[in-house]
Amino acid sequence: MRISRLAPLAAGLAAAALALVPASATAGQRTAATSASPAFPAYSASSTSAAVDAYYTSAEGKTGAALKTALHNIIKTQSKVTYDGVWNALKVTDQDPANPNNVILVYSGRSQSKSTNGGGVNDWNREHVWAKSHGDFGTATGPGTDLHHLRPEDVTVNSTRGNKDFDMGGSPVAEAPGSFTDSDSFEPRDAVKGDVARMLLYMAVRYDGGDGFADLEVNDKVNNGTAPAIGRISVLKQWNLQDPPDAFEQRRNQVIFDTYQHNRNPFIDHPEWVNSIW
């Protein structure tokens, strides 16, 4: 039985609409970086803003389907990472700013040793935020290895999420404080609700039926099964407003662009584009 907790969103939505991310923003249990490591460079909006603006030049002034198409044409140009290569990449993209030996687990919020990746019950593994069965792309190089939706997560929590769609409500998830699940959906902790939304919407724009893969789309349903769709878009739009991009998410986007795929998640750079398209 779904237990709705939509009411507390109202204040968050109103506040998020007024501004994007303050310089001091953090992500839940994440702590602000005190010093940059060579593998996880400090993110500076002022130093990258001109380059980011130039990256999106062809999308300027567009809305709706035209904006979605323009963004697809921009971000489809990318380098690809193998599935084995994802292990080492996540150790860089998701490094704990306060401890360079650890990564932050996306749903759990826990800082855990990079060396504990694997399949054991207390290990972390590679969570496909867009469940790989939704479109049946598996771990194929492309959507199955795209770092923009792959995150470290506790093995048990990853299994609990499974291939469920995203929605509000359910019972608390052990080892993932603030997360909830029921028979057909998963709700992540508040500090990464926006992260999840923007990862899914990136996938819906990046993979449009080309490259030999399915056309991924977001819809307003759960129980999408193996269809190339995931939901619920109405909730994802709320989460995008409730939890704007923070410094951790922005750095992650930049590291993927600079070091690995050389493409960006446009909804981290421009979260307002979510409502322009959907």
Side-chain angles (χ1 to χ4, degrees), residues 43-105:
Y43 174 85
S44 170
S46 60
S47 66
T48 60
S49 59
V52 170
D53 288 346
Y55 182 74
Y56 294 116
T57 296
S58 62
E60 287 181 4
K62 294 181 171 64
T63 60
L67 175 58
K68 185 180 180 185
T69 298
L71 293 176
H72 168 76
N73 289 332
I74 293 168
I75 66 178
K76 71 179 181 180
T77 301
Q78 66 175 102
S79 299
K80 295 181 174 65
V81 180
T82 67
Y83 198 50
D84 282 342
V86 168
W87 285 120
N88 286 331
L90 292 181
K91 293 175 183 179
V92 178
T93 60
D94 290 74
Q95 179 174 299
D96 182 347
N99 185 345
N101 297 313
N102 287 10
V103 291
I104 299 290
L105 308 187

Side-chain angles (χ1 to χ4, degrees), residues 189-209:
R189 60 195 177 99
D190 288 349
V192 295
K193 279 182 164 64
D195 305 49
V196 166
R198 288 180 284 274
M199 285 186 278
L200 297 176
L201 299 176
Y202 161 87
M203 293 291 283
V205 171
R206 170 60 185 87
Y207 298 99
D208 70 344

Side-chain angles (χ1 to χ4, degrees), residues 77-79 81 145-148 202 256 259-263:
T77 301
Q78 66 175 102
S79 299
V81 180
T145 66
D146 196 311
L147 294 172
H148 282 297
Y202 161 87
I256 293 172
T259 306
Y260 296 103
Q261 295 183 184
H262 312 299
N263 72 339

Side-chain angles (χ1 to χ4, degrees), residues 14-259:
L18 294 176
L20 291 179
V21 186
S24 60
T26 60
Q29 298 179 38
R30 301 166 184 153
T31 54
T34 54
S35 61
S37 74
F40 197 19
Y43 174 85
S44 170
S46 60
S47 66
T48 60
S49 59
V52 170
D53 288 346
Y55 182 74
Y56 294 116
T57 296
S58 62
E60 287 181 4
K62 294 181 171 64
T63 60
L67 175 58
K68 185 180 180 185
T69 298
L71 293 176
H72 168 76
N73 289 332
I74 293 168
I75 66 178
K76 71 179 181 180
T77 301
Q78 66 175 102
S79 299
K80 295 181 174 65
V81 180
T82 67
Y83 198 50
D84 282 342
V86 168
W87 285 120
N88 286 331
L90 292 181
K91 293 175 183 179
V92 178
T93 60
D94 290 74
Q95 179 174 299
D96 182 347
N99 185 345
N101 297 313
N102 287 10
V103 291
I104 299 290
L105 308 187
V106 59
Y107 305 136
S108 303
R110 188 168 74 237
S111 179
Q112 183 160 324
S113 173
K114 292 178 178 179
S115 65
T116 59
N117 63 293
V121 66
N122 290 316
D123 290 341
W124 62 267
N125 60 5
R126 296 160 291 188
E127 156 69 343
H128 290 77
V129 177
W130 185 293
K132 56 184 181 288
S133 63
H134 289 234
D136 196 29
F137 53 75
T139 59
T141 301
T145 66
D146 196 311
L147 294 172
H148 282 297
H149 84 114
L150 284 161
R151 301 291 289 267
E153 185 47 69
D154 175 87
V155 168
T156 303
V157 176
N158 196 342
S159 178
T160 297
R161 187 268 158 136
N163 69 346
K164 296 173 183 176
D165 294 82
F166 290 92
D167 199 358
M168 300 289 289
S171 302
V173 177
E175 297 191 72
S179 297
F180 299 84
T181 193
D182 58 21
S183 62
D184 57 21
S185 70
F186 189 90
E187 177 188 347
R189 60 195 177 99
D190 288 349
V192 295
K193 279 182 164 64
D195 305 49
V196 166
R198 288 180 284 274
M199 285 186 278
L200 297 176
L201 299 176
Y202 161 87
M203 293 291 283
V205 171
R206 170 60 185 87
Y207 298 99
D208 70 344
D211 305 321
F213 299 108
D215 181 4
L216 305 183
E217 295 292 345
V218 288
N219 61 22
D220 209 33
K221 300 189 297 184
V222 293
N223 284 324
N224 277 293
T226 59
I230 208 162
R232 300 172 53 108
I233 181 57
S234 59
V235 174
L236 299 178
K237 289 172 66 177
Q238 292 172 349
W239 289 354
N240 176 57
L241 291 174
Q242 175 188 349
D243 172 38
D246 63 11
F248 186 96
E249 191 180 359
Q250 291 169 326
R251 278 195 300 265
R252 189 177 196 278
N253 195 29
Q254 191 66 39
V255 170
I256 293 172
F257 178 77
D258 289 338
T259 306

